[in-house]
Every structure is written in C-alpha cells, then in structure tokens.
Amino acid sequence: MDNPPDHSTSSPGALSGLGRHALLPLRLFLGSTFVYAGLDKLADPHYLGGLADPASMAAQAHAVAAHSPIGGLLGQAVHSPTPVGLAMAFGELAVGFGTLLGLWGRLAATGGALISLSLWLSVSWGVHPYYLGNDLVYLMAWTPLVLAGTPQFSLDGLIAGRARGTATGRGRRQVLVDGGIATLAVAGMALLTGAGVARTRGKAPAPSAGAGAGAGTGTGNGTGAGAAGATGTAVAAAAAVPVGGVLRVSAPGSGDPVYLQQPKAGQYTALSGVCTHSGCTVNPPKDGRFVCPCHNSCFDAGTGAVLQGPATEALARFGITRSGDQLHLGAES
Ligand code: FES
C-alpha cells in the first residue's frame, strides 16, 4: 500500500527529523505547568478568600490594581473573587490539558497567551527591569504554539489525518463527531479533576480568629493601655492582629502593602510588603520568612533582613504604636 506523501519533508524549507518536534518540549512544559497552576489554585484554601485574606487572589489583585494598565478589570476580581477565581483556575486547566493532548491546540495556546498577558499586565507589571517578569516570558513562550498549533503527537493531528483519509461525506461527519466527543471528554476530565482537587482543600483560617482572645488586646499590656503618644495613622484594629498572626494593610499615602504582626503579646511590628529587589509584593510570612513570588528572594519575618537573594536590602520597617484598640502606622525607616 502506498504511503501518503510527507509534505513536511518534501519542500526545501521544511523541517525534517528532530526539527519537526522542536516545539514538543515547550508544549509539554507549558501544558503541564498550566495544569499544575490551575490545580494549585483550586487546592489553595486562601485563593478564593476575600480582601481580608492577604493570600487571596482578590487581595493580590487589589494590591496591584492601582499600578496596572488593566486595573479596571482587576476590580472585577476584587468584587467577584469566586467566579473570577474559578474562571481563572479552570481556564488554566483547560489550556493545560488542551496543550498536553494537542486538542484544539492553537486555541489552547491562544488562551494560554491571553492568561499570561493578563498576568504580565498586572502581577508582573511593576517588575523592573521588564525581563525579570516571568509572565512576559510565558507570553513569548506561547507565541510559537499559537502560530504552529499542535499538529504532532496530538488529537488534532489524529483527527486531521482521519479526515484526510476519508473520501465520503458520511466518513467526514463521523470524524467531526469523534472530534466533538474527544472535546467533551477532555473538558469533562478537566472539570472532574479540578472539582476533585477543590473538594480536598482545607478551610483558610480567619485572619483574626482564635488567638485574638489571648492577644492582650483589651488588657492594656505592652504598647496598649495609655493611648498617649500614638503617632501616625490608624490602620487597623489591634484585635485584628492576634499574637502570632499577621494582617496586611495599605500604607497611608502610597497604598503599598504593609504586614502587621504581633510576635509577642503587646509587641507589634510593621514591615513593608514591597520586595526590595524589583518591587513585587512578597507573600504573607510563612515558617518565619517572607518569600517573594517573582524571583524567590526571602526575608526574615521578624526583622525583614534578607535571607536569600537576589534582593540585597532588607524590607522597609514602619513605626507602629497602639492607641486604645487601634494600631497606628508611623514613618518608614
Ligand atoms: S522582585 Fe525579584 S525577588 Fe522580589
């Protein structure tokens, strides 16, 4: 039986041999990364939280909205965190599975590029110099797949091959039906996987719950009782920062994120949440350290000192005093 002519190697400029698979590693990486990113969001108990949870998607969107060219769109994420957050997570899953399996590959790559574009214009927009913002790199990485699609080792390639080998209209209709079934099967797999992971996630602790009762907020210990000499602007109720807890607020004037903590009863600290490397917002403290999501700098949660670069300067500190039941933020030092 004659083999069909291989047009991919017959024209002078066509890629041959290994070159035909040049985009496969990129496709595997982007597909698996987007599946992981979608599942990671759905498994995170903080992700769909409201503004009061500093680790939520809404709080992060709120933090970058003022400096983003798509700040208006980010307002939607702030006001409707659940539908926007779910759309984002399941969108990443659909893009990831579509890319890995090569089903509607060009469409999946376009979706991936749009997600990366929106992240670049928001989360990475403040990163300087621009080439350190990883979302711009993802946007560029999607471009070859948008242009080339996923013709090899893919359901797209399988369906196209069957369509080419079918001479009758009935046969072509059957290929279309098979393509539709494959699309529904992959969409169902993405939905079931995402929903299954979402069901396993725990409940995020309330920012001021629990420890607040023992926090000394009403007993006048430490900085609290007198209320005399409070300087700066009131930014939070003292009860919102329990012993061992953290609360993210905005610095009066600049609006920059500031993390308030009470490591010991009556002792408060206020550290800037702006990474000194390139200006990303560091994540809330965990295991005694702040970690910057942009390039992984780490800072001591108590002092703000650099534990790991590329940042070389400590997080800025603010003066903080308690007056009655209010915490006042002073000058940055
Ligand atoms: S902005 Fe680069 S490590 Fe924080």
Side-chain angles (χ1 to χ4, degrees):
M1 188 191 300
D2 288 345
N3 288 325
D6 185 354
H7 296 293
S8 63
T9 56
S10 58
S11 62
L15 293 173
S16 61
L18 283 177
R20 295 172 60 204
H21 308 307
L23 292 180
L24 204 52
L26 183 64
R27 183 179 139 202
L28 290 175
F29 170 74
L30 290 173
S32 52
T33 299
F34 268 58
V35 168
Y36 176 81
L39 295 179
D40 194 45
K41 287 179 174 64
L42 292 169
D44 183 352
H46 297 275
Y47 176 63
L48 296 177
L51 277 179
D53 186 338
S56 68
M57 183 267 305
Q60 291 175 13
H62 180 68
V64 300
H67 309 291
S68 165
I70 57 167
L73 285 178
L74 295 178
Q76 280 300 317
V78 173
H79 293 119
S80 311
T82 299
V84 174
L86 288 177
M88 185 71 156
F90 279 102
E92 287 181 340
L93 271 185
V95 164
F97 280 124
T99 304
L100 280 178
L101 298 172
L103 181 65
W104 296 95
R106 187 169 276 140
L107 187 65
T110 303
L114 288 174
I115 290 173
S116 298
L117 175 66
S118 67
L119 292 173
W120 175 47
L121 294 175
S122 52
V123 180
S124 293
W125 191 247
V127 177
H128 177 79
Y130 73 93
Y131 53 77
L132 292 177
N134 55 7
D135 293 307
L136 178 58
V137 179
Y138 276 102
L139 174 59
M140 291 297 113
W142 280 113
T143 309
L145 291 176
V146 172
L147 296 174
T150 53
Q152 278 131 7
F153 299 112
S154 65
L155 292 173
D156 284 347
L158 199 68
I159 292 168
R162 285 188 57 195
R164 274 198 300 272
T166 304
T168 66
R170 190 159 171 228
R172 290 210 177 91
R173 273 197 297 281
Q174 185 58 47
V175 171
L176 279 178
V177 169
D178 290 349
I181 291 172
T183 303
L184 286 177
V186 172
M189 179 174 71
L191 271 175
L192 283 177
T193 307
V197 168
R199 280 170 64 93
T200 65
R201 74 165 183 256
K203 212 169 165 7
S208 59
T217 53
T219 57
N221 60 7
T223 58
T231 56
T233 307
V235 289
V241 188
V243 174
V246 61
L247 180 71
R248 179 170 143 176
V249 298
S250 296
S254 71
D256 286 340
V258 177
Y259 287 106
L260 309 182
Q261 298 177 83
Q262 188 184 185
K264 290 183 185 165
Q267 287 184 4
Y268 294 94
T269 64
L271 288 167
S272 169
V274 179
C275 178
T276 54
H277 176 230
S278 289
C280 290
T281 298
V282 298
N283 291 331
K286 194 175 170 192
D287 299 330
R289 53 175 50 198
F290 292 97
V291 177
C292 177
C294 288
H295 313 106
N296 233 19
S297 287
C298 296
F299 305 86
D300 186 281
T303 65
V306 176
L307 299 176
Q308 175 185 301
T312 56
E313 290 180 32
L315 296 175
R317 296 178 70 94
F318 290 80
I320 182 167
T321 50
R322 179 176 163 184
S323 175
D325 62 357
Q326 290 294 307
L327 294 175
H328 291 243
L329 204 61
E332 185 178 337
S333 60

